[in-house]
């Protein structure tokens, strides 16, 4: 891939000056996080980590990622309504993975009772890397679709301005003018506002369901403030609050602290550690309610790694989206190789291949949030250990994507300024709203570029590995 900043990246004095400007610009623009020491207070904040320079992204792949987003929105929505598919696909997983099993139990329970919810809101982020082929050409390959709590749509709405300024400081005024505007926070809020409106109660609020530790609160505030701008009330509550104060009325309207809740936007709830018995009860209460859940539990399940792996099987996309061959082709073109480790010949064979050549693969459990996948020697050891046990079924295998690294500086508070070899991951935010069977909104809402040093195999911004970036189209 082209390296647009070759002339400045090794100019120590210019880099030092630009980095100082960049950090202050990020603070001024609101690219902020609370600190690890004081995650519950905004008295002390710092800038969220970001790259000094915007990273090169091939224009054709960037446009391809945008062009396929509405298809993925439709696909996720279709999966969430397909009980037979979810049941069959997750059957082997829920035998061995307790977390997925518990989510699935709630899913079945609300279906049996009958859904009270009639308006559906999906906010997802489809993530990609640029796989570098043997001939040096890059291809867009999907890493995963996040269907719950996809973050950084807020902070990334402000990074382009910072990078624009940095480029100017470095004498790249023309290049600065080419950075694209990007405002996922607004797009996300638009979807939430639409769902709120269709829910149809002026006095009802939007509830952000938030974590106990709230370092990334500013990212969420960007979306919250967009809602306040539309005169929609927003409240923030934890699962614990819902357990203690949440209730349903006779028609399963959700109330908390005497306020009716129209939309529940989960920024929490995707890792097992969140849930004790009381929080599971709170989750069930929310799912049973008439409120618009973003996502509902079916859509959360649609985002599991196991579902992703099954989607790559020949014929599956066609079955889920009949009569849409173009959409199917666009989506399939972004799929990397994905393999089931279910018990049986197919799983035995791919497990043996991965043990023999671990560098070709990534081993993934049914977890979200970064830092869970296994690579290289560790992958080999774990797979060797579980290859003849049912535990194998709780993982999937994926071809490892190998992007072309580029030099950049990762700016992090209290860290030295040093050049790193980096690779990037592009995310496209998708938003859709469905009322009954009618899709009333289906859009790509903006993008997120995250960049990390190549020595880290895994992990996102929240995990302290990747940093925020801005695409520079080449
Ligand atoms: P999570 O749900 O934890 O975010 P991901 O599937 O997104 O799981 O993987 C986490 C990170 O691991 C990604 O952001 C990416 O950096 C890396 N990764 C995941 N899959 C691959 C792959 N197939 N090839 C190379 N890197 C990968
Ligand atoms: Mg991810």
């Amino acid at each position: 891939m082209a390296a647009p900043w070759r002339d400045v990246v090794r100019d120590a004095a210019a880099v030092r000056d630009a980095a100082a400007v960049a950090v202050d610009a990020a603070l001024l623009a609101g690219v902020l996080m609370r600190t690890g020491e004081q995650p519950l207070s905004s008295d002390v904040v710092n800038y969220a980590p970001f790259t000094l320079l915007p990273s090169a992204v091939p224009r054709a792949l960037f446009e391809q990622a945008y062009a396929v987003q509405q298809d993925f929105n439709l696909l996720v929505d279709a999966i969430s309504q397909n009980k037979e598919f979810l049941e069959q696909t997750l059957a082997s997983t829920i035998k061995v993975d307790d977390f997925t099993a518990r989510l699935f139990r709630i899913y079945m329970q609300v279906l049996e009772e009958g859904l009270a919810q009639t308006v559906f809101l999906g906010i997802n982020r489809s993530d990609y890397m640029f796989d570098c082929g043997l001939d040096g050409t890059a291809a867009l390959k999907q890493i995963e679709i996040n269907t719950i709590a996809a973050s950084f749509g807020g902070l990334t709405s402000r990074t382009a301005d910072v990078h624009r300024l940095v480029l100017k400081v470095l004498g790249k005024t023309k290049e600065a003018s080419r950075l694209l505007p990007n405002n996922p926070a607004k797009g996300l809020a638009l979807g939430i506002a639409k769902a709120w409106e269709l829910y149809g109660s002026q006095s009802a609020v939007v509830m952000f369901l938030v974590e106990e530790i709230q370092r990334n609160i500013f990212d969420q505030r960007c979306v919250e403030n967009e809602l306040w701008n539309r005169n929609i009330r927003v409240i923030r509550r934890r699962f614990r609050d819902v357990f203690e104060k949440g209730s349903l009325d006779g028609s399963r309207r959700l109330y908390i602290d005497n306020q009716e809740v129209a939309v529940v936007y989960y920024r929490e709830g995707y890792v097992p550690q969140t849930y004790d018995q009381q929080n599971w009860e709170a989750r069930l209460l929310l799912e049973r309610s008439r409120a618009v859940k973003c996502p509902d539990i079916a859509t959360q399940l649609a985002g599991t790694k196991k579902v992703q792996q099954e989607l790559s099987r020949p014929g599956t996309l066609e079955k889920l989206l009949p009569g849409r061959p173009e959409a199917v082709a666009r989506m399939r073109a972004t799929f990397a190789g994905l393999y089931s480790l279910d018990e049986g010949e197919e799983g035995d064979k791919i497990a043996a291949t991965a043990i023999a050549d671990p560098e070709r693969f990534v081993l993934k459990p049914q977890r979200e949030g970064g830092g869970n996948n296994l690579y290289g020697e560790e992958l080999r050891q774990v797979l060797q250990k579980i290859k003849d046990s049912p535990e194998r079924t709780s993982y999937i295998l994926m071809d490892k994507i190998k992007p072309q690294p580029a030099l950049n500086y990762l700016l992090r508070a209290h860290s030295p300024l040093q050049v790193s070899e980096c690779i990037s991951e592009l995310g496209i935010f998708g938003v859709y709203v469905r009322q009954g069977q009618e899709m009333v909104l289906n859009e790509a809402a903006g993008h997120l570029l995250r960049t990390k040093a190549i020595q880290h195999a895994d992990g996102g911004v929240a995990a302290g590995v990747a940093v925020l970036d801005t695409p520079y189209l080449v």
Side-chain angles (χ1 to χ4, degrees), residues 127 129 143-144 146 305 308 336 362 364 367-373 375 398-402 425 450 452 457-460:
D127 289 338
M129 283 179 157
I143 296 295
E144 63 158 348
N146 304 280
K305 309 277 191 282
Q308 181 188 8
V362 181
K364 299 190 174 188
R367 290 292 169 271
E368 301 295 326
N372 302 297
N373 300 336
Y375 304 81
M398 182 171 182
D399 282 343
K400 190 173 180 179
I401 309 306
K402 297 181 173 153
E425 186 168 344
R450 292 171 299 167
K452 65 183 182 183
D458 204 320

Side-chain angles (χ1 to χ4, degrees), residues 114-136:
L115 295 185
Q117 182 177 347
T118 57
V119 176
F120 297 84
L121 164 65
I123 292 179
N124 63 61
R125 202 188 65 223
S126 179
D127 289 338
Y128 307 89
M129 283 179 157
F130 313 114
D131 197 26
C132 185
L134 292 173
D135 60 354

Side-chain angles (χ1 to χ4, degrees), residues 186 188-208 221 223-235 259-264:
K186 193 162 194 170
L188 269 46
L190 221 93
I192 297 172
K194 187 76 199 167
W196 175 86
E197 178 196 317
L198 293 174
Y199 178 88
S201 170
Q202 279 289 325
S203 59
V205 302
V206 171
M207 177 168 75
F208 280 44
R221 293 284 195 212
V223 183
E224 281 176 43
N225 292 355
E226 291 282 351
L227 292 167
W228 283 109
N229 287 345
R230 294 181 159 70
N231 297 318
I232 297 174
R233 288 193 75 78
V234 180
I235 60 172
Q259 300 171 96
E260 183 179 359
V261 178
V263 179
V264 180

Side-chain angles (χ1 to χ4, degrees), residues 57-72 126-131 137-142 326-336 426-428 444 447 473:
V57 168
R59 179 183 296 275
L61 303 192
F62 184 81
E63 287 171 357
Q64 186 189 351
Y66 263 94
V68 72
Q69 188 54 44
Q70 287 168 314
D71 304 328
F72 278 121
S126 179
D127 289 338
Y128 307 89
M129 283 179 157
F130 313 114
D131 197 26
T137 57
L140 185 76
K141 290 295 160 197
Q142 186 177 57
E326 290 95 2
V328 166
R330 279 190 295 267
M331 289 188 281
R332 183 160 292 135
T334 70
F335 287 177
L426 174 69
I428 307 291
H447 55 269
L473 300 190

